Amino acid sequence: MSEVKIAAETRTEFGKGAARRIRRDSKVPGVLYGHGSEPLHLTLPGHELLLALRTPNVLIALDIDGKTNELAIPKAVQRDAIKGFIEHVDLLLVKRGEKVTVEIPVVAEGELAPGGNLLEHVLNALPVEAEATHIPESVTVSVEGLEAGASIHAKDIKLPSGVSLAVEDDAVVLQVLAAQAEEAPEAEAVEGDETAEA
């Protein structure tokens, strides 16, 4: 997995006014917490953070005030509903070798059996436990040739070494739904004929 270095500054101003001032400077307010330590309030560079968060569960190497270095993973990201920019980020402090529970995206590949069936993602992301510095970016699942009624369970997904499920083995991740029969247009045509006869 990728590790991204970001310089951060501790902040002492809180509240909406302070947060607005931080955002005006193209920066993002955030909180670093974990390991029983006091939450640390930070200011992070907006553009660098935005690029880093394009990778799910990215490992962020924080250089805080040029004095201390900490590893963190994003835990919660608040975005502006309209413009999409990051308003606030919660970061979870992690240590090398430590196991963490995260959700990783499920990517389906291959073609379903012919017939116009639909693939439903019951779980868009799979909860797993992995070492903080070795979190997979995603898991790929083959749906090649699957027919209506078929489903893929969590236990069917091959995980990288050192990664284990953090969800029930029989949890449904993907399922194939039968194509909807198109009977409505025919019914309308029959009604139209009856009207014409009347």
Side-chain angles (χ1 to χ4, degrees):
M1 71 174 295
S2 53
E3 184 174 316
V4 179
K5 291 185 178 179
I6 293 182
E9 303 164 354
T10 51
R11 61 186 170 96
T12 52
E13 286 188 302
F14 308 104
K16 289 185 178 178
R20 274 197 292 269
R21 282 194 293 277
I22 290 169
R23 291 186 202 108
R24 266 202 301 271
D25 291 337
S26 299
K27 295 180 179 179
V28 178
V31 178
L32 175 66
Y33 63 93
H35 292 287
S37 57
E38 286 289 316
L40 186 61
H41 296 268
L42 302 172
T43 300
L44 302 112
H47 184 65
E48 290 174 45
L49 183 63
L50 186 66
L51 292 177
L53 293 177
R54 286 183 178 171
T55 303
N57 300 310
V58 63
L59 187 66
I60 300 174
L62 292 169
D63 177 4
I64 303 170
D65 296 332
K67 298 174 185 173
T68 56
N69 295 290
E70 300 285 5
L71 286 177
I73 57 174
K75 203 62 184 169
V77 180
Q78 294 173 19
R79 296 179 185 269
D80 180 271
I82 298 169
K83 297 181 181 175
F85 62 78
I86 301 170
E87 293 190 322
H88 189 274
V89 64
D90 285 349
L91 300 170
L92 181 64
L93 189 63
V94 295
K95 304 287 184 193
R96 292 188 191 279
E98 174 190 8
K99 290 258 187 172
V100 293
T101 300
V102 294
E103 293 188 346
I104 55 175
V106 176
V107 179
E109 66 174 11
E111 296 289 325
L112 298 176
N117 297 323
L118 298 172
L119 181 67
E120 180 188 18
H121 284 254
V122 180
L123 292 178
N124 284 317
L126 186 67
V128 298
E129 188 179 69
E131 190 184 324
T133 53
H134 292 90
I135 299 171
E137 289 186 16
S138 62
V139 285
T140 303
V141 181
S142 173
V143 296
E144 188 66 40
L146 291 185
E147 298 185 347
S151 58
I152 294 175
H153 297 86
K155 64 184 176 189
D156 302 327
I157 297 174
K158 186 171 173 22
L159 297 172
S161 176
V163 180
S164 59
L165 289 174
V167 67
E168 294 294 327
D169 284 358
D170 58 358
V172 176
V173 180
L174 300 168
Q175 64 184 7
V176 182
L177 304 177
Q180 297 293 319
E182 294 185 21
E183 296 175 7
E186 291 177 19
E188 285 171 13
V190 171
E191 286 173 15
D193 293 343
E194 287 172 1
T195 308
E197 287 172 13

